[in-house]
Amino acid sequence: MNKKIAIIGAGGHSKVVGEIALLNQYDVIDFFDDKINEIKNFPFTINGNLDQLKVNLKDYDAFFVAIGENKTRYDILSMLKKEKVNIVNLIHPKSTISRFCSLGVGICVMANAVVNSGTFIKEGVIVNTSSSIDHDCVIEDYVHISPNCALSGNVSVGKFTHLGTATSVHPGINIGNNVKTGVGSKVFKHMSDNTVFKN
């Protein structure tokens, strides 16, 4: 029996997600995006827009939202949850995920990423290429951890936060909701909600 997945979003991030779906042995990988007429050079089949997906939900075994922007990812995942469909995680086989961590749904973990023991990755999180999350961290819903980030042990990251590429976080730091860090940021202090940080 063929495994069929519907992936929402057809941008650059989605290309990487689609390849992870291939590596997870999905036989049919169909993409849906409201900007279907504007998308060029996309390596997978784009079947239609979101309205077309909504009338064909029964055709798919699994669903995933491949959109890098946190709030948009939340909106679409919330819609899928209301439809009570099977929202899956897509985890690259060359990532390292501790058997003693906990994962929510709608999570993407990309190649060479590491998630260590005691860490809780909640709903809709992106753990991007070669990022490292050490022991006993809590990554709240709809966080985007960009490539090459390094989170030390006992770090907490609040909802909708986006850690820029190669952000480093000192042990025990609490980062609030909706925080944005610049490329190469070094975080040594707790950060309040809605902060934009770079150094």
Side-chain angles (χ1 to χ4, degrees), residues 11 30-31 39 67 77 84 98 100 113 120 124 165 181 186 189 191-192:
D30 290 337
F31 283 77
I39 298 166
I67 293 174
L77 262 168
K84 301 187 185 312
S98 169
F100 303 113
F120 192 177
T165 299
T181 67
K186 294 175 173 56
K189 297 180 180 179
M191 297 179 65
S192 302

Side-chain angles (χ1 to χ4, degrees), residues 36-53:
I36 182 171
N37 295 324
E38 303 172 25
I39 298 166
K40 297 178 181 178
N41 302 317
F42 194 75
F44 296 93
T45 301
I46 305 175
N47 275 35
N49 58 30
L50 284 184
D51 288 336
Q52 290 167 307
L53 173 61

Side-chain angles (χ1 to χ4, degrees), residues 67-122:
I67 293 174
E69 202 282 317
N70 294 335
K71 181 61 168 60
T72 305
R73 190 166 67 259
Y74 162 78
D75 289 341
I76 298 174
L77 262 168
S78 297
M79 178 274 291
L80 291 174
K81 287 170 67 178
K82 288 178 183 176
E83 297 289 347
K84 301 187 185 312
V85 298
N86 179 33
I87 301 166
V88 298
N89 296 331
L90 287 176
I91 296 176
H92 198 288
K94 289 188 177 179
S95 63
T96 302
I97 309 293
S98 169
R99 69 177 66 188
F100 303 113
C101 73
S102 298
L103 301 179
V105 298
I107 295 164
C108 182
V109 182
M110 294 190 176
N112 299 316
V114 177
V115 180
N116 277 333
S117 182
T119 284
F120 192 177
I121 308 287
K122 296 192 178 180

Side-chain angles (χ1 to χ4, degrees), residues 159 161 176-180 191-197:
K159 294 180 179 179
T161 285
N177 300 319
N178 198 37
V179 169
K180 295 187 185 341
M191 297 179 65
S192 302
D193 295 351
N194 305 309
T195 302
V196 177
F197 176 83

Side-chain angles (χ1 to χ4, degrees), residues 13-14 65-73 126 142-144 162:
H13 174 67
S14 309
V65 181
I67 293 174
E69 202 282 317
N70 294 335
K71 181 61 168 60
T72 305
R73 190 166 67 259
I126 298 169
Y142 303 99
V143 167
H144 187 162
H162 189 162

